[in-house]
Amino acid sequence: MKKDFRLPKQVTQAIEKLNDAGFECFAVGGCVRDMLRGAIPHDWDLTTNARPHQMQQCFQGYHVIETGLQHGTLTVMIDHMPLEITTYRIDGDYTDHRRPDTVAFTDSLTDDLARRDFTVNAMAYHPQYGVVDPFGGSKDLQRRRIACVGDPTARFDEDGLRILRALRFASVLDFQIDPATDAAIHTQQNLLKHISAERIFTELTKLLCGQAAERLLCTYPNVIGTVLPQIQPMVGFDQQNPYHAYDVYTHSCKVTAAVPSLPVLRWAAFLHDTGKPHTFTKDERGGHFYGHSEVSERLAKEMLRQLKSDRKTMDNVLTLIRHHDTVFSDSPKQLKRLVNQIGMELTEALLMLHKGDVSAQAIHLREERMRDADHLMDMLRELKEQNACMTIKDLQISGKDLLEMGMVTGKAVGECLNYLLNEVVEEHLPNHRDILLSAAQSYLQRKTEEDKP
């Protein structure tokens, strides 16, 4: 298939370098898929019939990293761009369901493409010869379909992570999954138990942030439940509550799709109600979930630790889940308190999560609650534009000012600043330097009197 794509000069240089030495070289995999979709590739992988030692000879004088020499892979730096170049190869058995025990180098590009996961990733490109597509990847792109190369059962048996990768690509690209590939996903989902937690976390995060996350999460709860068994009680759990139109799991999937595509927000949305099945009670008014935020936070912490999430992501997700059931009032003071407690960035995220949450509640309540959620976001935006005092750093005095007044301990300084901030947030005092200094002096004198024996 002859198509002309504009390759980065570094990629062209690498291809020409190997071609001039008598070797084949093609761009391969995701970069070809993205070019055919009209997207800009983020990474460039190349494949060649040159053996590793021959590649090293070709790129003498360049910075070469021996990324995976035993598997025929080198990374060549050309003008600050890393290019991963791999020798055509045929993979041996995958006894650990993750990596081949052995690889055999080959001179056949088709054999190399045959070992890859999905047809849309099994295409190669050369500026002179165009697209090489022996497995119909370009047709599957047109059909918006994810299909394994060859036998799906064999592909997943080789590498169980491909099960989640199929879901991730379908979510990110908004593609359907081929029926044969879908059937193999369901029959082989337990292969995911062989995969490292870090790799699962990476794939799940990309899946959650995809444009079709709701559809994939709702279609494959059994697969997600294989790696996160804590979500299984949510599936099909009837909330028996007039405020909700969906079971707990479906509600969570819809909230996930309703918030911006940011990892922290998507994880918080997906896990925010995991505690509901464990806190369910019922009376004449319907189902209740008292204390579910605390249980959801505990379960989310358990899952994110299990997946070896980075600490910052985990802390921020847990903060959002802890506060997600906040009953908001039409009060700027409440928002100021929240900003002081969890910071502006997380307060903004919490309001986005709140809006996503109400968007997936009962239809008869949705319109009014969505208006209220938008009003909260407008209110916070106005506070930002007004440079309202919401944190200690916004106060017109500092710890240095207090130390000069005779507060000699860090603890006393912190207590006084928190007192002053509370007074300003509650609108008992204006955020004026002279008034705050006077209030601080009175606070210091009062504390001194209280501390006398």
Side-chain angles (χ1 to χ4, degrees), residues 290-323:
Y290 301 119
H292 81 272
S293 294
E294 292 83 357
V295 179
S296 296
E297 181 185 359
R298 175 177 58 77
L299 289 170
K301 185 175 185 179
E302 183 180 297
M303 285 183 270
L304 292 172
R305 278 184 170 174
Q306 168 189 321
L307 293 175
K308 300 187 178 177
S309 161
D310 62 279
R311 183 60 182 267
K312 183 177 180 181
T313 296
M314 180 164 63
D315 287 347
N316 288 342
V317 169
L318 296 181
T319 298
L320 292 177
I321 292 174
R322 184 182 317 130
H323 292 278

Side-chain angles (χ1 to χ4, degrees), residues 13 40 151 244 265 298 423 442:
Q13 184 177 336
I40 299 174
D151 178 13
H244 287 281
L265 261 173
R298 175 177 58 77
E423 292 294 288
S442 298

Side-chain angles (χ1 to χ4, degrees), residues 67-195:
T67 311
L69 206 57
Q70 72 276 23
H71 292 141
T73 301
L74 299 175
T75 298
V76 179
M77 300 294 298
I78 301 180
D79 292 339
H80 309 291
M81 176 183 279
L83 300 174
E84 193 170 277
I85 310 177
T86 302
T87 302
Y88 300 163
R89 73 184 201 213
I90 299 171
D91 293 340
D93 293 334
Y94 287 72
T95 55
D96 66 353
H97 304 287
R98 183 67 189 97
R99 294 179 181 82
D101 300 335
T102 59
V103 300
F105 298 139
T106 177
D107 290 318
S108 169
L109 173 60
T110 300
D111 286 347
D112 182 80
L113 295 176
R115 71 180 175 82
R116 297 174 185 268
D117 52 8
F118 310 114
T119 60
V120 296
N121 295 333
M123 296 180 284
Y125 174 78
H126 188 281
Q128 182 178 348
Y129 309 118
V131 177
V132 179
D133 181 17
F135 302 104
S138 59
K139 287 184 179 179
D140 282 336
L141 276 180
Q142 293 171 1
R143 296 169 182 164
R144 302 178 65 82
R145 182 173 72 176
I146 298 297
C148 285
V149 175
D151 178 13
T153 300
R155 294 292 81 77
F156 292 144
D157 193 57
E158 290 166 349
D159 182 358
L161 186 64
R162 288 171 173 169
I163 293 171
L164 278 186
R165 281 172 59 82
L167 271 56
R168 183 255 285 190
F169 280 119
S171 176
V172 171
L173 301 175
D174 195 9
F175 281 16
Q176 299 295 321
I177 295 180
D178 174 74
T181 299
D182 171 78
I185 286 172
H186 288 292
T187 59
Q188 294 183 280
Q189 63 193 40
N190 284 333
L191 291 174
L192 288 168
K193 294 177 180 178
H194 298 279
I195 308 303

Side-chain angles (χ1 to χ4, degrees), residues 7-14 44 59 61-64 75-83:
L7 301 179
K9 63 180 182 179
Q10 297 94 327
V11 176
T12 301
Q13 184 177 336
W44 291 89
F59 292 103
Y62 293 83
H63 178 45
V64 176
T75 298
V76 179
M77 300 294 298
I78 301 180
D79 292 339
H80 309 291
M81 176 183 279
L83 300 174

